[in-house]
Structure formats: structure tokens, C-alpha cells
Amino acid sequence: MELWQEMLRQSVDSGRELVERFGFDKELADRLNKLFHIRINPYYLSLIRYPNDPIWLQCIPDGKELEEDGLPEDPLAEDSHSPVPSIVHRYPDRVLFLTTSQCSMYCRFCTRKRKVGDSSKINMKYIQGGIDYIAAHPEVRDVIMSGGDPLMLTDFMLERILAGLRAIPHVEIIRIGTKMPCVLPQRITPKLCKMLRKYHPLYINTHFNHPWECTPEAKRACEMLADAGIPVGNQSVLMKGVNDNPDVMLELMRKLLTMRVRPYYLYQADITKGANHFRTPVSVGLDIMDKLRGHTSGLAIPYFVIDAPGGGGKIPLVPQYVLGRNGNQIILRNYKYDIFTYPDVEEEPGTPTPTVERKFSRKARPKKVYEPDKVKV
Ligand SMILES: *Cc1c(COP(=O)(O)O)cnc(C)c1O
Ligand code: SF4
């Protein structure tokens, strides 16, 4: 057994341990354990500094998960975009490929709580179906292996899937979404990297949410992937009490760059049943973005996105930089709130209006409008 597998076996994963190690009430611990899996491996556990700190909140269950929040289990309507059990096909040219239900840690804020950890919903037996689907759809040029965490698979199984995908001529790039560099960096071994580099162009997106996760071990894992020629990006989730603070986020983004990880997305927390206590007002995310752009390297700046409820895909949100328009003059502000005027280029007569405006004027309004009370729960 490899070290990482041994570490997983030593995870805190029962209601009993919540009672014994964290002083939970037994009845509460049992209810939480039934609701969503618990798994905290000894490495991630060692990052906790004090109760309810940003690491604790991400991995130790909380009674708030049991609140009747009336929120959907599948806020992104992934199941309705799922032509076969292992595929989510929402965008024209790329798919999510769910390869395992297992995670090295079960994050309390997970959007896929309804599926993750449940091998009846995400299962290896569906993998061939996914590969067949991709092979039959020539428009799919980008496959994002997700789950669960695909690096929970053995190197052997992972390689079979990668080889299967690489055998499909129209698959141009493969991406792997994995939390391992953050939660169990011991998973990134020289053997794994040697295998992965055979399947380029390969990209990895990992998932760090707080600067305390940027340890020497995590740095080494990210560097090994980068040395294998794999561009590593990061997707963070904005969460109350974890990272809803511009200084914390600035430190995280800078640290990631020193680990050779490029910030990619910052997600507004989804409206997921059992994870409502993590949500922040959208203004908090916009304020963070405002305090990043211009104040630090452009490379450190992720896109702040909302994954549209009901399954519209990711929508980027940007602080207001265009203050208005005065005839041909566009009034802008910079990161220090100094005001500038930019003389726009005069449109030649007969030039069509820009695509976005045209789309809206033709249809009068967007077709689907989110109506919270119509979301099925
Ligand atoms: C996020 C996501 C993707 C990938 O989106 P990019 O913006 O290309 O990174 C693809 N499919 C689904 C269903 C997604 O949620
Ligand atoms: S690693 Fe990803 S899929 Fe697994 S529990 Fe965490 S957020 Fe969910």
C-alpha cells in the first residue's frame, strides 16, 4: 500500500470519533454522519490550529448542515444535463467526466453532496459509458475529469481512463480536477507524475481555499506536477469564516503563485442544501476582486464566478469599472478610484451594434429567469 493510501485509512471518518476527539454530542454526531460522509485524513487534520478556524470549518461537520434550508440538492441542475451517468454535458465543446465518488476529504460545503461518496451514483462501472459518449460526440474537445476526486483512483485505473480518452482523436485536451495537492499532497508521487506526463496536453485544476493550506508539502506536490509539464490552476470557493476577507484572499493568491499555481476561478458558494451557512453576499466577492486587481500581479487574479442556479453555467462578475458614457467619452475608474475618460472610436454608419446588445434587443429579455420558488427541492 502506498503512503497516501495508508494515510487515508487513518482518517477520522465516524460519528464516534467526532464524539471522542471533538466533543460532539453523540446524537448530533450520528445525524451528521448519516447526512454526508466524514473523512479527514491525518495530514489535513494537522492543519487545524484552533476550533472553528478556517481549516476546521471546511472539514469538521457542523449542526448547521441539518437545518431545513429548503435549498436544492442539485443547484446546478447537473443531473438534467447528464446524458449518461458519468457525464455532465452543459457547454458546447467540453464535458465533465465523473470518474469516482470518492474524495480524500469530504468538504462540508460540497456542491455535489448528493452524489459524492455514493458509489451508486458515481461508479467505475459507468466509466466505459462515459468514454463511449465522448467518442460518439466529436464536438467534445475538452474532457474534465472530476468526481469525487479522480486521484482517488489508483495510478493503474487512472492510466486506463487517460489512455481511453487519448485514443479518441477529437479529444484535444484533458483536465483533471483534484483537491489532492491541498488535502493529501502525498498523493502526488514521482510515479504518478511520470505516468501523467504521457497524456499531454493535460491540465490540472486544484482547490486551495486558505493560505494555511499552502504548506511545504503542498508546494512540493504542485511543483512536481508543474515539473511534469502540467499547468496547474486553482479554483477556490468563497466561504463565510474561511476566506471572505480581501487580505486572506490576497495572501492565498500570492502564495499559490509561489507554488507555481495560477488562480483560475473564485466561486460564489452555490445554494446547496446543507451548505447555506457558508454563503456570503455577492458584494463580498466583488469587494475582494476590487482589492486584488491592480493591487497585485494580474496573474494572481482569478475570475469571480457564479455558477448559475438551474444550470446556466459560470457567469463572471466584475466590479464596476465603467462609470458611464458621455457621448463618445467612456468614463472609467482605475483600481485607486481615479477617474479617466477614454475617447471611444466613432462607429462608422451602418456598423452593426455589438453582438451582446443585439442579442438582448432581439429577444427583449433572457429566456430563462431564475425564480427561486420554482426550484424543485
Ligand atoms: C465548470 C464546468 C466546465 C468547465 O468550464 P470552464 O469555464 O471551461 O473551465 C465544464 N462543464 C461543466 C458542467 C462545468 O460545471
Ligand atoms: S473534494 Fe470536491 S467533490 Fe470532494 S467533497 Fe470536496 S468539494 Fe466535494
Side-chain angles (χ1 to χ4, degrees), residues 15 41 44 46 49 61 112 120 145 159 163 188 190 268 271 286 288 299 308 311 327 372:
N41 70 63
Y44 199 76
S46 77
R49 300 185 187 180
R112 262 181 228 139
S120 71
M145 290 178 59
E159 176 152 27
I188 312 302
Q268 171 73 8
I271 43 166
L286 285 171
I288 288 172
L299 276 176

Side-chain angles (χ1 to χ4, degrees), residues 88 90-91 94 96 144 175 264-265 314:
V88 182
R90 165 152 41 236
Y91 290 111
R94 54 208 190 280
L96 289 188
I144 301 151
R175 301 193 240 178
Y264 181 46
Y265 281 138
K314 299 174 186 68

